[in-house]
Amino acid sequence: MDYQHIVVLTGAGVSAESGIPVFRSETGLWENHRVEDVCVPEALVRNPRLVHDFYNTMRRNLKTKDPNPAHRAIAKLQQEWPQRGGKVTLVTQNIDDLHEMAGSMEVIHMHGELNSLLCAKCGRRWFNDEDSSPEDICPHCKAQAVRPDIVFFGEIPYYMDEITAALAACDLFIAVGTSGVVYPAAGFCQYARAQHAVCVEFNLEKSAVATNFHYGLYGKASQTVPAFVKHLLITGQLLRTDEEI
Ligand code: APR
């Protein structure tokens, strides 16, 4: 059976082999910072320069990173599945642009993007791949209220209507490199499965929500995802291993 609508959800693990650190490291720090210093709305009030500089550094580092085989396999699936009459919706929690660099045309960035700025006053968002600062002026409303376009803890992710509609319509749900501890993304599998989608996770190890999936493929995403996509594109069937849940 060919799957009509595939939803792919990616997390930090898909970019790990491109040299971008995952969030939940053993130190509990994200790029040497406490999450509450750089990733909550209060941080912007308390120390806006620290927040801007943190994302400036990350944005500059991003320019030195390349997509890996997992990003490229997902882009290939997105490009070739429609030729079989299907559709692929790619949702990422990542703020990097490695899916785009790999050739994915439509990427839903539910947690925002490093290469984007947001005006806290008028709500407009615009492309930006240079450093930003708390003194920046919004090009639209001229307010001094420019911030990194990142969805902080406590804020509502972007595109939730679009994502919910895709999950409701999909018959295959794939999660790649996400720990399953941050909601609402961690609940997507349960929702898709309730709508009768087959659910598969790709991770180094079982995620916090592994039992919600039908099965998992465990190992480096740069190896498991290309193998899965190749098999799916050739046979229309899902690649399985002994490590089914
Ligand atoms: N291949 C497959 N999976 C991997 C790889 C790899 N090479 N490397 C790491 N992983 C897995 C880890 O085992 C872990 O389960 O990727 C997952 C990364 O988890 P997190 O660091 O928690 O990242 P993520 O799930 O994307 O975090 C969700 O939390 O901090 C917020 O907004 C931030 O979008 C982020 C959200």
Side-chain angles (χ1 to χ4, degrees):
M1 175 196 100
D2 266 6
Y3 295 91
Q4 290 299 310
H5 190 163
I6 304 171
V7 172
V8 181
L9 169 71
T10 62
V14 79
S15 296
E17 291 170 72
S18 293
I20 298 182
V22 297
F23 296 98
R24 282 162 192 85
S25 64
E26 279 164 13
T27 60
L29 297 176
W30 184 28
E31 304 244 339
N32 298 320
H33 286 73
R34 296 184 316 152
V35 162
E36 55 270 34
D37 288 339
V38 291
C39 204
V40 295
E42 298 76 33
L44 267 175
V45 179
R46 224 171 25 229
N47 195 344
R49 189 160 309 280
L50 174 75
V51 176
H52 277 269
D53 285 348
F54 175 75
Y55 291 100
N56 286 340
T57 303
M58 212 185 249
R59 193 182 298 112
R60 274 186 239 140
N61 285 341
L62 181 57
K63 294 191 205 303
T64 66
K65 309 297 180 197
D66 294 310
N68 67 57
H71 296 106
R72 284 196 282 274
I74 292 166
K76 187 175 165 69
L77 182 65
Q78 232 184 346
Q79 286 154 9
E80 297 188 13
W81 203 240
Q83 293 163 18
R84 303 173 71 126
K87 177 179 175 179
V88 178
T89 302
L90 173 56
V91 181
T92 187
Q93 299 167 87
N94 299 343
I95 56 178
D96 65 56
D97 61 352
L98 297 184
H99 283 303
E100 287 88 345
M101 283 179 69
S104 282
M105 301 296 281
E106 286 180 40
V107 188
I108 298 176
H109 283 273
M110 64 180 290
H111 289 167
E113 290 178 72
L114 265 179
N115 287 335
S116 178
L117 292 174
L118 162 71
C119 175
K121 180 98 186 289
C122 72
R124 287 198 179 84
R125 309 164 65 198
W126 60 95
F127 177 84
N128 170 77
D129 62 358
E130 292 166 6
D131 284 1
S132 65
S133 86
E135 289 79 37
D136 286 351
I137 303 293
C138 169
H140 302 284
C141 74
K142 311 297 177 207
Q144 192 179 306
V146 175
R147 57 168 273 187
D149 189 10
I150 309 296
V151 176
F152 291 154
F153 284 98
E155 297 180 327
I156 297 171
Y158 293 131
Y159 310 112
M160 283 311 296
D161 289 349
E162 212 173 324
I163 296 169
T164 308
L167 291 170
C170 77
D171 42 17
L172 176 59
F173 174 78
I174 296 170
V176 183
T178 178
S179 54
V181 298
V182 174
Y183 283 80
F188 288 175
C189 170
Q190 234 174 348
Y191 184 70
R193 189 164 177 167
Q195 320 289 322
H196 308 295
V198 175
C199 301
V200 187
E201 81 164 354
F202 295 77
N203 204 309
L204 290 177
E205 58 196 15
K206 289 183 180 179
S207 74
V209 289
T211 52
N212 292 337
F213 289 82
H214 289 96
Y215 72 103
L217 292 171
Y218 298 103
K220 290 181 175 177
S222 65
Q223 292 166 10
T224 54
V225 178
F228 181 88
V229 167
K230 187 176 176 194
H231 188 79
L232 184 60
L233 286 171
I234 292 172
T235 66
Q237 305 292 317
L238 305 183
L239 182 67
R240 287 170 179 265
T241 70
D242 294 339
E243 295 192 61
E244 293 181 19
I245 292 168

